[in-house]
Amino acid sequence: MNLKIHVYTHVHTTHIGVKYTYIHIYIISYARLILNSIKQGKVVESIFSNCPQVAIVGFDMQVSLIAALRLRFEAHCWRYTYNLTLHDVGWGEEARSELLISGIEGSATASLFDSRGTSYAGDSNWGLQNFKASTVAMAEFCREHHIAATAYVVIDVEGYEPKVIRGMHLDEISNQKRFPHFQYELGGSWAARDPRHGGTSEWSQHDACLHLQECGYMMFMIGKQVWMEVGPEFFKEGPHMLDEGHGLFVQGNLLCLHSHFSHPSLLRAAQLSSRNFKSSMYDQ
C-alpha cells in the first residue's frame, strides 16, 4: 500500500507539515501508527482522511477521555473504527499503576506528577485529578500484541518523554526495527527543575539525544518548511535555548530516523531538506 506519512509540528496540529509533507512509502505489511496522547482525536481524524487503510493504535491515560473518544468515533467515524484501537493507559519506562495525574482544568492536557505545592499549583490551573493512571513500556506492549513494526510513533507526554524512550528499549536491534521512525516533543517539561520532568537526575534533552545517537538514530528538528539535522551538541547551552524559570531547554519536535531501518525515501528527504536549509543559512 502507499502510505502518506504526515510529520506534524505538534501533536495538536493538523495539515502543518514540513517541506516534504506527503512522502509516499511502499509498505508491504499492514502499517501501524502509534499515537500518544491522542487528546480530542484531531490527529487521528486527519490521518484517516488521507490514509484510510492505515491502522492506528491510540493511547491516553485519562480514562474519561478515551471513553468519550470511543463514543465519538463509533458515532461519527464508523468507517474507521475497524482500524482504530484505543487504550486507556499511558506510556512509561515500565508497567506501573496508581500513578498521580495533574491536569489543566478544562483541557485534555495532563501529566504524571503531583502538582500540589509546586509552581504549577494555583494560578496556572494545574490541579491533581481525582483518578489515577497506569503505564506500559512500549517495547513490551508491542511484543505482547505482536506488533513487529510500526510506520510512525508520535510521543507527546508532558514531561514523561525520557521514560517513554527508555521503555522503547532502543538498544535492542529488534526494537530499532520495530520503531524506525518516531517523533517526540521538546519543551519546558524537559527543563531540569520543572516538576513534570522528574528531578535533576532525569535525562536532559542532551542525554536523550546522545542515547538515540548511540542506538543508531539520526535526529532532525521539525520545522514548518524544513527539517534540520542535529546531534547531542545542539542541546548544550546556547542562545537558541529558552528558560521559563526551571532551566534551559529547546522548544519544538524532534524527528528520529534509524540510519539502517528507516525507509530510505524518508531518510533521504530529511537529509536533503537539512542540507538545503543549512546551505541557505550559510549563504545569508
Side-chain angles (χ1 to χ4, degrees):
M1 60 176 285
N2 282 321
L3 170 64
K4 298 176 182 177
I5 289 186
H6 287 254
V7 178
Y8 298 96
T9 58
H10 191 276
V11 74
H12 291 296
T13 307
T14 57
H15 301 301
I16 300 181
V18 295
K19 185 175 182 180
Y20 301 90
T21 304
Y22 295 97
I23 300 174
H24 295 266
I25 299 177
Y26 185 74
I27 298 179
I28 297 175
S29 61
Y30 200 63
R32 284 185 174 89
L33 277 74
I34 298 183
L35 308 177
N36 189 339
S37 62
I38 59 173
K39 304 208 186 312
Q40 291 93 349
K42 293 180 180 178
V43 171
V44 173
E45 290 182 345
S46 179
I47 292 173
F48 275 143
S49 67
N50 289 279
C51 314
Q53 299 305 313
V54 74
I56 293 181
V57 184
F59 296 76
D60 203 291
M61 62 189 179
Q62 300 180 88
V63 177
S64 59
L65 186 60
I66 287 290
L69 280 172
R70 284 197 179 108
L71 290 174
R72 175 181 172 185
F73 279 100
E74 288 172 2
H76 303 293
C77 304
W78 59 268
R79 62 190 182 279
Y80 300 141
T81 54
Y82 179 79
N83 296 325
L84 174 65
T85 306
L86 298 175
H87 297 272
D88 51 5
V89 65
W91 297 349
E93 189 169 0
E94 58 189 358
R96 297 185 63 189
S97 60
E98 296 295 306
L99 296 170
L100 295 175
I101 306 176
S102 291
I104 298 178
E105 184 178 355
S107 81
T109 300
S111 183
L112 291 172
F113 80 109
D114 187 349
S115 60
R116 294 173 298 183
T118 72
S119 57
Y120 284 92
D123 293 340
S124 65
N125 294 321
W126 281 84
L128 195 65
Q129 298 191 2
N130 59 5
F131 60 91
K132 296 181 181 179
S134 299
T135 59
V136 295
M138 278 303 302
E140 293 302 321
F141 176 89
C142 288
R143 273 196 284 266
E144 291 174 4
H145 289 78
H146 308 291
I147 301 175
T150 60
Y152 203 72
V153 177
V154 179
I155 306 170
D156 179 359
V157 289
E158 302 298 331
Y160 235 60
E161 284 83 0
K163 296 178 178 64
V164 172
I165 292 170
R166 288 197 295 271
M168 295 169 78
H169 297 174
L170 297 174
D171 55 327
E172 300 175 15
I173 292 178
S174 60
N175 288 317
Q176 295 168 12
K177 293 179 178 179
R178 183 176 278 118
F179 308 116
H181 327 99
F182 65 93
Q183 76 175 65
Y184 65 89
E185 188 180 35
L186 303 167
S189 62
W190 282 86
R193 298 185 301 278
D194 192 294
R196 296 170 292 174
H197 186 59
T200 55
S201 61
E202 181 56 278
W203 274 359
S204 65
Q205 291 179 333
H206 174 271
D207 296 333
C209 190
L210 181 61
H211 170 73
L212 293 171
Q213 185 181 68
E214 291 172 346
C215 293
Y217 286 85
M218 302 178 68
M219 280 68 67
F220 301 84
M221 290 294 295
I222 301 174
K224 290 185 177 181
Q225 300 297 324
V226 295
W227 292 326
M228 181 179 73
E229 185 176 358
V230 297
E233 66 280 355
F234 181 74
F235 298 99
K236 292 184 178 180
E237 183 174 346
H240 61 295
M241 305 187 83
L242 304 175
D243 189 340
E244 296 176 341
H246 296 115
L248 294 169
F249 64 90
V250 172
Q251 182 69 46
N253 275 265
L254 196 66
L255 170 65
C256 305
L257 303 177
H258 198 275
S259 56
H260 298 305
F261 305 124
S262 62
H263 196 282
S265 296
L266 183 56
L267 184 59
R268 284 197 298 269
Q271 291 173 316
L272 177 61
S273 179
S274 180
R275 285 197 297 270
N276 290 342
F277 172 71
K278 291 181 178 179
S279 176
S280 67
M281 292 294 290
Y282 291 137
D283 291 341
Q284 293 179 5

